[in-house]
C-alpha cells in the first residue's frame, strides 16, 4: 500500500512538471526590422563621431598656432564654438547646426547642437570626449 502512494505521488509530480514546462512561447521577432533599426542607429552614431572628429581636429589646429577668429568657426551649415584657443584643457566645444534642417556636403540634413568636452589633445591616447546632443537630428532621426 505504501508503494502505491509513493507511485501515485511520483506520477502526479511527473504530470505536473510535464504540463507546466511544455508551453510554446510566442517569439515573433521581426529580425529584418531589428537589423534595419540597428543599422540606422549605428549610422547615426557614426555621424556624431564624424562631426566630433572634424571639430576636434579644428580645435587642435587652432591651439597649434593656426588661430582664426575668437574660437568661432563657420563651416557650411554649422557653427563651431571652442571655449578657448589656448592649450588649457578640458575644452568645451559646441557644434551648432541651427534649428532648421541644413544640408551638409555629404547630402545629409542636420539640425540641433552637439556639445562635447575634450580632456586632452585629440590624438592623445588618454583623451576622453564626452558628447551631449541637444535636439540633434540627422535626416529627421
Amino acid at each position: 500500500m505504501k508503494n502505491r502512494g509513493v507511485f501515485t505521488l511520483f506520477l502526479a509530480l511527473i504530470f505536473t512538471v510535464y504540463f507546466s514546462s511544455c508551453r510554446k512561447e510566442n517569439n515573433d521577432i521581426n529580425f529584418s526590422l531589428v537589423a534595419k533599426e540597428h543599422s540606422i542607429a549605428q549610422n547615426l552614431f557614426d555621424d556624431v563621431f564624424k562631426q566630433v572628429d572634424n571639430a576636434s581636429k579644428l580645435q587642435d589646429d587652432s591651439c597649434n598656432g593656426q588661430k582664426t577668429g575668437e574660437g568661432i568657426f563657420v563651416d557650411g551649415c554649422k557653427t563651431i564654438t571652442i571655449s578657448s584657443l589656448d592649450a588649457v584643457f578640458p575644452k568645451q566645444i559646441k557644434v551648432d547646426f541651427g534649428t532648421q534642417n541644413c544640408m551638409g556636403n555629404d547630402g545629409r540634413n542636420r539640425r540641433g547642437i552637439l556639445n562635447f568636452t575634450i580632456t586632452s589633445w585629440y590624438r592623445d591616447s588618454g583623451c576622453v570626449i564626452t558628447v551631449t546632443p541637444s535636439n540633434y537630428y540627422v535626416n529627421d532621426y
Side-chain angles (χ1 to χ4, degrees):
M1 196 58 143
K2 205 177 199 188
N3 288 339
R4 187 170 238 196
V6 173
F7 179 71
T8 306
L9 181 62
F10 179 70
L11 196 57
L13 180 64
I14 288 177
F15 280 118
T16 304
V17 170
Y18 177 75
F19 286 114
S20 66
S21 65
C22 293
R23 289 186 217 154
K24 183 179 179 187
E25 293 185 26
N26 189 5
N27 289 333
D28 293 335
I29 297 174
N30 185 345
F31 289 106
S32 63
L33 179 63
V34 170
K36 179 182 175 186
E37 289 177 350
H38 179 268
S39 176
I40 290 169
Q42 184 65 46
N43 196 340
L44 295 174
F45 279 110
D46 289 346
D47 184 76
V48 168
F49 177 77
K50 177 180 156 188
Q51 298 307 316
V52 170
D53 180 57
N54 290 337
S56 297
K57 288 176 185 173
L58 181 65
Q59 176 263 301
D60 271 3
D61 289 345
S62 299
C63 291
N64 288 330
Q66 301 173 20
K67 297 180 182 179
T68 55
E70 302 222 23
I72 299 175
F73 305 88
V74 177
D75 181 21
C77 292
K78 62 188 171 206
T79 302
I80 302 170
T81 306
I82 302 173
S83 61
S84 65
L85 295 181
D86 54 13
V88 177
F89 289 94
K91 292 191 181 296
Q92 304 296 320
I93 301 176
K94 176 177 156 182
V95 182
D96 189 349
F97 292 92
T99 57
Q100 301 296 320
N101 277 340
C102 183
M103 186 174 290
N105 294 337
D106 58 358
R108 293 182 176 194
N109 286 311
R110 293 180 184 84
R111 68 180 184 271
I113 299 172
L114 290 173
N115 294 302
F116 63 99
T117 303
I118 186 167
T119 61
S120 179
W121 295 106
Y122 180 61
R123 303 231 184 260
D124 281 353
S125 62
C127 177
V128 176
I129 300 173
T130 305
V131 180
T132 307
S134 176
N135 293 320
Y136 180 67
Y137 292 88
V138 178
N139 291 337
D140 293 326
Y141 284 103

